[in-house]
Amino acid sequence: MHKSVIYILLSGLVFLLILIRFYEDLLFYDPYLTFFENDYLYIDSPRREVAKLVGFTTLRYVMNTIISLAILFLVFKDKSIIKFSVLIYGIAFFVLMLFYLYFVINPRQEDYYLFFNIRRFLIQPIFLILLLPAFYYHKLKN
């Protein structure tokens, strides 16, 4: 592919990530969006439908993951990097979702900050921000 096409595709994929973030209120059921915008350390956990919340959190994670994997593929064009990234994303989802479910089912004010950060890894493309420089550094070393 020509470099200009790659840059256009990368820009489009990053724009998709931005759109997911910008329209999160409309696209996803998440009562914690407004909860964590407020002074959440001093208020009770919001009412929630656990199955619906987990479903929409999973959907958002999958959408971010697919776009992130496409970005990684366009940048590195290496299937082994994509396979390793899929493994990382899969393991991370399983582990983070276990903690997420624990905090959703057992909300305690002293755990809100940890819950906020675990939730952040599930709903935002943080792994992309971590993996891009890590793979780039690995590529430079080889």
Side-chain angles (χ1 to χ4, degrees):
M1 261 192 264
H2 197 268
K3 280 194 175 189
S4 60
V5 173
I6 291 173
Y7 291 137
I8 291 170
L9 289 172
L10 283 173
S11 298
L13 290 169
V14 170
F15 186 67
L16 284 175
L17 290 173
I18 291 168
L19 285 176
I20 289 171
R21 172 81 169 148
F22 188 76
Y23 290 109
E24 64 189 358
D25 291 333
L26 300 172
L27 295 172
F28 309 106
Y29 167 77
D30 192 351
Y32 291 107
L33 288 173
T34 54
F35 175 72
F36 284 120
E37 287 176 1
N38 297 319
D39 201 7
Y40 63 89
L41 291 176
Y42 302 104
I43 57 177
D44 289 331
S45 183
R47 293 180 50 89
R48 66 229 168 266
E49 297 176 45
V50 176
K52 189 175 179 181
L53 179 63
V54 169
F56 276 99
T57 303
T58 300
L59 174 65
R60 187 166 178 179
Y61 185 84
V62 168
M63 290 172 69
N64 284 332
T65 298
I66 290 170
I67 296 168
S68 297
L69 290 172
I71 290 171
L72 288 171
F73 182 76
L74 285 174
V75 170
F76 297 107
K77 296 173 192 70
D78 186 350
K79 289 183 182 179
S80 65
I81 285 178
I82 301 306
K83 289 178 184 176
F84 182 72
S85 297
V86 168
L87 181 68
I88 294 292
Y89 276 102
I91 292 170
F93 177 75
F94 180 73
V95 171
L96 290 170
M97 192 52 79
L98 286 176
F99 285 109
Y100 182 75
L101 280 170
Y102 171 77
F103 290 124
V104 166
I105 294 168
N106 302 309
R108 295 186 335 207
Q109 283 185 334
E110 58 267 14
D111 295 333
Y112 284 167
Y113 185 71
L114 183 59
F115 175 48
F116 171 77
N117 287 303
I118 287 172
R119 183 181 157 276
R120 178 179 279 173
F121 273 91
L122 285 168
I123 67 168
Q124 296 176 3
I126 294 176
F127 288 114
L128 176 65
I129 296 167
L130 296 173
L131 291 175
L132 264 175
F135 289 138
Y136 182 73
Y137 180 75
H138 178 71
K139 188 176 178 181
L140 285 179
K141 287 301 227 180
N142 289 338

